[in-house]
């Protein structure tokens, strides 16, 4: 193996456009709506997720109790001009009607509580692509636990979702998360190895869009398989590497738990420089009062406006 | 019967809003997109139909041969800022992809050639609600031949479409056309009796939106059942009467064959005054060169801008 | 055949009770709600039908234009304390939600316009038992054109409805109407022969409740098959005869077109004396202003209160 | 994290109304019947559960052997004027027919014996939503073991039930119970953390109504995740907190094992003060002779009458 | 109407390419095989049909008895290097195996005998798209009788075929034939009006490829609707007109009954000049001995080689 080529990060951060994706008419119509008729309207994507209520429980609403009411996030998504909001079936069914059409809906199809440990993680379907169609959603979200001992069930479950997405022309966004006891022995869920593998896996299994974390360095990096264990990429290089590994699957970078405002903006910048299509920032947005959340939203959108992509031509 | 009350036209031309319609979340999201995110964006609806190719054949393209290429109407719909374009499955499948998301699609599900006479008319399904979902359409259209000897088959066929619309949250627009040999002996297809019945029938059978003609006076008016045969309503009163008979089903007034520009604008005004939600004008728009078509579109939209409806609140 | 027994009217007008009907749990729960938790609450049934909009068109609303708005009938049904309201799918879907639970819903499953003649009548399904369940209805209605040239299709269609009613525990009310060119040569649709046959047919085909007209005498009575052509029953005797022919199927007497107030009350009395369970009166109720409609409702209910039936014991 | 905001209990105990719930027509009709046509008829809900026979075995009938006969509870529900009775499929099928329509039925769909330990609890479906429709039920109940190692299977099973509930317009009541070995290491099933999570999970997964316990303090409270381990809420504050976490899902507070009469009344009061819609009290009601049970029922209903909610307007 | 513009034939004879067709991956793969890996390999299409056995009976084999053996046509197709052979299910099943892969198969799905008259023509399905997939076919053929009194059934039947073609990525070739008693009163099946309508209808209904006749002049031309009755187009102009009316549906010109060799070559030339993609010539090819048939094939292919189309780029 040529060590020189393996260690060099991808040279280009050009991101794929809708024209590159071989999308069916319906998938294209829905992605166009998300990318060009909402948010900055320039082909970037800023999504507001509110699936923490099932993934972490009400614990995430303590910093801003108003955010326990899903109307808070729906209002933020509409008033802040997000490209989309991502919620579980219960919230979609009960709350979206008031905001229907004002902000595109991503129906998050699966989800779990974090009460059981994640060493054998599998996220069960709580909703279906049929539900997404019925509710007027413009995309579905699916959490794939790459490398989990139960990935056999996970891939099979994803296959069903993907097939329904084809049938209905529904874009498929995969939350591609390395997880489970085995990945923890190979550098951990946030290692370059893990995220890079997750990026490629989403592309291989048929995602239209993939949600990724930017890899983090840790003491466990040495446990990664070679040559990952020998790489020493900067934060930005890691971001470019994993975005590139997703190939022509559109990349969204996730925000994770709350960090400082400057860190949020730096992450947004790094993501876009790396060739991502956009961001999916939740707690960093709604774990603060509405006026501050709107202000932060505007700052992030200012960055996104610097990274326009031409609308599709064909 | 109290003649005084029977001859008085409906007193109000207030048109129903999305809040009145008891729409499911998905239907609401899709109708909101059509009504508030395209066209004038004020709750009015200007649709461009291009189903004449199957209904009348290429004959309708002689006045403007450029219009034989479906790209002409798609470009007109996008550049003119229509709320939606209505086409058969073949055109949707072949041409919409390039414009996907830029203008909402109404998939016209059924259609027929006019080579056989319409005395026993029934319009067969050429596409399905599944197709509409798959192509990212925001509504489906169905031609119902009210009063045709084959209305039994027609109603049954519509039932299947309606059920699928419920299942998928897809708005159902009914082209409600009195047709067949029996209506011709009762005043004819354009009589007040016929159109009034067609308006009510669409509401009874579950249309969300109904496309109607404005009744025309003719020598056959005396053949209408009483008390219709004794009414003498003006054009405007007739328009109000039939719009009112559709109850809270949204009304679109159809344009029909090409008339003078002033007549088009007068019809648009009369329709909106009568409580319609909008217009579905085809030949009057695209049977002229693109620049003139865009100009005429703008004139019609100027009228629609005078009839805004508040966006839904709940 | 013993002429004496054939000409004697049935001796008893005792009407069947829920205990007689061998109802499944679900059918019983729903019929109990209609019979004992609404209306007079004494096992009688007063239903308000509003399917004339599809069966006759807006023509029926001329005497009271306010009644063209379905809210008129829904309000009348709620405020007047009817046992149920009977509507087509479109009105149920669009209007019932506001009144849901306040008055039981009978979803009228089939219906047709009267633009084509009824010589080969068949009423197509516009809704399904699934729709009825989904909308929280407590019964379904089905128009059976007994003796029509198309009764083969009609019976087959009814079979499907009946089977779904069994599956879902949904009471089945059959509008049992003699119709078609053949019955017109045998005394006509309102003859004793015709209605008597229709009553039995509903029972034979699995109706839980049957809606009948009271037979009318006419010049065509002599065309009835023997011995009907030789019978000379009074109005009351005719009513008893046909109610008796329905056996333990519950009987509702229909009101038909508008008649004088006294005739309405006489018909109500005759129906109950004849062993009917109740009345389904539409135009005679809502073809007048709301206050008069409520007043008339109260007069009819006063009669129904005289004919209580014990609630079911087992 | 702002400690001040995190420790403060939610400020309002206003409970959601039917208008807030975005219910389909059928769900609304059925919930209206339960809430406004039975019990106190004021929008509160008092349910009588009798699923202890499967969950605990005949052991629960020792204090009042008469209660082993399901007719005891059915009679109590009818004579005591409960809003609904909740039973497994066997009892519904065998006993409900006699009481059909007199008291609304909640068909409890799943259930298990407590012979195996609950460390990997999953409650299997013993009935279906189809059964519920067929029996004329007005709601279904489902026990969800939040946080169980088998929650993956549980969520998937619930998804099927929820989808059928959508299809049939059937209200879904989730018994949301934290359970399994993992929750026992995080404060236990009755901890604030556990119940709070369970309340939110029911909302996220599409429950219309959620049955909750009021959290209890214990020595294991310190094992809860932060900040729960640092909170010190009173019984009433805990009740308000979890009711609030259910957002616009209607809350029923469960009674649990038999306690003193005063404790029952205090719990009822605390539940209603906390913003619950009602109570589901079983053993505390029927583990006593009929006359005492009716007396206790009346005392609880006296409290419910103090908490009326306006009937739905739209 | 501007007479000048209406009478002018379309100005361009540019034919659509695979890039214009918005084909799914599977349809494109199969059409590419037909167009670029067989025949002239230059994007033109020469197909050999052998469905005359069912459409006309053995009568067509009298001129060359050897052609009664389907092996004759299969050998001709392989040895002559055709792009495809089109046969009914029976021949495909029995004979294609020997030639499988050597020449692409078009499975002709429907067909009829010409024993009944064609005034109410409808061609029943004898095979399915499933059969085509199973046999390794690269396209299916469907005869649509445009304007037949039974077009309602025909369109519905085509809808099913089209849907299956979408599902399986199978190209759909429509034999678009004006037929039935009504078209005979409007200029007849070969009139410009009839063929022009048929070309558009195929495009509207979702054909990927359409087989057309070149219009013929006749005494009945005056019976065509205006302005067709007033047009006087040459043979070449007529060919261009109908090819243009198919828009971006690929056009194949049919050969019809046997004509002189020079007429065959002139028709081939006219078809390609008019913007067709190719030819489907049967009797003119195989109603002669093998060596002559191969010679004639070569002459036609020489013409096709003059009309290459660039392979698809995207």
């Amino acid at each position: 193996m040529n060590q020189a080529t393996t260690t060099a990060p991808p040279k280009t951060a050009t991101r794929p456009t809708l024209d590159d994706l071989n999308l069916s008419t319906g998938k294209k119509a829905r992605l166009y709506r998300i990318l060009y008729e909402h948010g900055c309207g320039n082909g970037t994507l800023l999504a507001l997720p509110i699936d923490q209520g099932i993934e972490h429980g009400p614990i995430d609403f303590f910093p801003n109790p108003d955010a326990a009411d899903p109307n808070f996030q729906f209002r933020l998504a509409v008033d802040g001009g997000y490209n989309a909001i991502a919620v579980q079936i219960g919230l979609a069914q009960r709350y979206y009607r008031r905001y229907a059409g004002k902000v595109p809906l991503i129906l998050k199809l699966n989800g779990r509580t974090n009460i059981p440990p994640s060493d054998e993680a599998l996220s069960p379907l709580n909703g279906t692509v049929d539900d997404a169609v019925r509710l007027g959603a413009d995309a579905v979200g699916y959490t794939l636990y790459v490398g989990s001992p139960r990935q056999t069930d996970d891939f099979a479950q994803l296959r069903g979702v993907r097939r329904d997405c084809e049938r209905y022309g529904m874009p498929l966004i995969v939350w591609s998360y390395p997880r489970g006891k085995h990945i923890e022995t190979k550098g951990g869920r946030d290692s370059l190895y893990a995220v890079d593998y997750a990026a490629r896996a989403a592309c291989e299994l048929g995602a239209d869009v993939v949600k990724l974390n930017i890899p983090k360095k840790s003491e466990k990096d040495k446990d990664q398989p070679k040559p990952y264990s020998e790489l020493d990429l900067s934060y930005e290089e890691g971001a470019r590497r994993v975005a590139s590994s997703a190939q022509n699957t559109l990349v969204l970078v996730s925000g994770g738990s709350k960090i400082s405002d400057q860190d949020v903006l730096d992450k947004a910048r790094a993501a876009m420089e790396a060739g991502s299509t956009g961001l999916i920032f939740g707690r960093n947005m709604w774990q603060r009062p509405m006026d501050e959340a709107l202000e932060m939203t505007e700052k992030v959108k200012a960055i996104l406006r610097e990274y326009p992509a031409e609308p599709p031509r064909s």
Side-chain angles (χ1 to χ4, degrees), chain A:
Chain A
M1 192 185 296
N2 184 334
Q3 196 69 10
T5 49
T6 59
T7 56
K11 293 172 210 77
T12 174
T14 313
R15 70 179 198 255
T17 70
L18 288 189
D19 283 329
D20 299 327
L21 289 175
N22 186 29
L23 296 168
S24 69
T25 302
K27 285 193 174 192
K28 194 182 160 203
R30 292 180 170 97
L31 273 180
Y32 182 90
R33 273 203 292 265
I34 292 176
L35 291 171
Y36 290 96
E37 302 220 322
H38 289 86
C40 298
N42 66 347
T44 60
L45 202 170
L46 178 61
L48 188 72
I50 165 64
D51 56 343
Q52 293 82 357
I54 187 73
E55 299 290 342
H56 310 146
I59 214 164
D60 278 359
F61 306 123
F62 277 76
N64 175 23
D66 287 348
D69 179 355
N71 286 302
F72 185 90
Q73 286 91 352
F74 277 100
R75 277 202 310 269
L76 174 56
V78 170
D79 294 348
Y82 281 72
N83 295 77
I85 187 169
V87 299
Q88 286 282 326
I89 181 67
L91 302 196
Q93 198 128 292
R94 199 68 61 71
Y95 292 91
Y96 183 54
R97 190 168 179 272
R98 186 185 298 178
Y99 310 94
K102 296 178 184 172
V103 61
L105 176 69
I106 298 169
L107 186 65
K108 184 76 196 322
L109 297 184
N110 60 351
R112 59 188 285 279
T113 77
N114 64 3
I115 298 172
S118 62
D119 52 351
E120 303 208 350
L122 172 66
S123 185
L125 286 178
N126 301 316
T128 63
V129 184
D130 265 89
D131 287 320
V133 170
R134 180 171 58 81
L135 292 164
D138 278 325
V140 295
Y142 181 92
T143 295
L144 182 74
Y145 288 134
V146 177
S148 165
R150 296 200 62 186
Q151 79 174 2
T152 304
D153 298 316
D154 210 355
F155 283 18
Q157 190 173 256
L158 174 60
R159 182 186 70 238
V161 168
R162 183 193 50 71
R163 184 199 54 206
D164 289 347
C165 284
E166 296 305 324
R167 181 181 164 203
Y168 291 124
M170 182 65 69
L172 170 59
I173 305 177
V174 171
W175 272 231
S176 201
Y177 288 169
R179 207 63 107 239
K181 57 191 176 192
H182 302 306
I183 198 69
E184 295 308 321
T185 67
K186 296 184 176 180
R189 63 178 72 171
D190 290 322
S191 66
L192 179 63
Y193 165 72
V195 181
D196 211 33
Y197 207 149
R200 179 76 188 196
C203 176
E204 295 270 351
L205 300 179
D208 298 303
V209 183
V210 62
K211 181 191 179 196
L212 297 174
N213 290 304
I214 295 180
K216 290 179 196 161
K217 298 194 183 192
S218 83
E219 292 181 358
K220 292 161 73 180
D221 281 354
K222 64 182 185 312
D223 302 332
Q224 298 175 101
K226 280 191 189 175
Y228 287 99
S229 57
E230 296 166 355
L231 290 179
D232 184 27
L233 301 190
S234 70
Y235 181 78
E236 287 73 17
E237 286 170 335
R240 287 177 69 175
R241 164 98 214 158
V242 299
S244 166
S245 285
Q247 294 299 320
N248 71 3
T249 304
L250 304 183
V251 172
L252 299 183
V253 165
S254 71
S257 57
K258 191 139 183 290
I259 51 182
S260 80
D261 286 7
Q262 191 54 50
D263 285 352
V264 169
L265 298 176
D266 288 351
K267 178 178 263 193
R269 171 83 55 195
M272 298 313 292
E273 281 292 317
S276 302
T277 289
L279 312 162
I280 178 160
F281 284 4
R283 284 165 284 174
N284 279 293
M285 295 306 194
W286 51 253
Q287 280 186 344
R288 54 179 100 213
M290 183 62 82
D291 53 350
E292 295 177 25
L294 287 168
E295 200 177 328
M296 190 64 194
T297 299
E298 192 44 44
K299 284 180 185 165
V300 170
K301 286 174 76 175
I303 293 173
L304 293 178
R305 285 197 193 90
E306 298 179 35
Y307 297 87
E310 286 291 307
R313 278 161 305 176
S314 61

